[in-house]
Amino acid sequence: KQPGVHDPLEPEFSILKQRLARRAAHEKMDANNIDLAQVTKLAERTITTDLEYLISKAVDVDKADYAVVTGIQIHNWAADLSDEHGTTPSLEFISLGTAYVVVDGKKSHIDLLNVPA
């Protein structure tokens, strides 16, 4: 398949790839030197921007308060998770993205790493 062309069998993924390519160009990222972590963070920023745009069109801040919490779920890529002795950890991680609340039209950012457990 030709890069950047819409795939009717995977429309959401092909649109996301096109949007990531545009955002990477806008952020002046070198497409030849982008690693998996950078692509993942680029996707999080792109998806968060989309979410905030949709919220701006759907939420009347004079009538509703809301919160936004985004992040990336990172899966364990261990070769064998069926270890009967329990020595291979099955771990999932979350990399925090954006966290804020909007109350009475005022946005307040939340530092989730400093919120007590």
Side-chain angles (χ1 to χ4, degrees), residues 4-82:
V5 175
H6 179 74
D7 182 351
L9 298 177
E10 293 192 59
E12 296 89 356
F13 187 55
S14 63
I15 291 168
L16 178 62
K17 288 191 300 185
Q18 291 170 2
R19 301 204 57 251
L20 292 177
R22 281 195 301 271
R23 179 132 188 178
H26 175 75
E27 293 182 5
K28 297 181 178 27
M29 297 176 80
D30 181 357
N32 295 318
N33 292 314
I34 297 176
D35 62 23
L36 179 59
Q38 291 171 312
V39 170
T40 303
K41 291 175 183 176
L42 180 68
E44 190 279 329
R45 290 191 303 275
T46 301
I47 293 166
T48 298
T49 299
D50 288 350
L51 175 64
E52 290 173 333
Y53 174 76
L54 292 171
I55 289 169
S56 76
K57 298 299 182 190
V59 176
D60 181 348
V61 296
D62 293 329
K63 297 179 181 177
D65 300 330
Y66 64 94
V68 172
V69 180
T70 67
I72 303 163
Q73 182 178 4
I74 303 165
H75 300 284
N76 183 353
W77 288 93
D80 182 10
L81 296 177
S82 62

Side-chain angles (χ1 to χ4, degrees), residues 41 44 48 69-74 93-99 110-115:
K41 291 175 183 176
E44 190 279 329
T48 298
V69 180
T70 67
I72 303 163
Q73 182 178 4
I74 303 165
F93 301 95
I94 299 293
S95 174
L96 299 175
T98 300
I110 302 169
D111 183 355
L112 292 176
L113 295 176
N114 288 318
V115 174

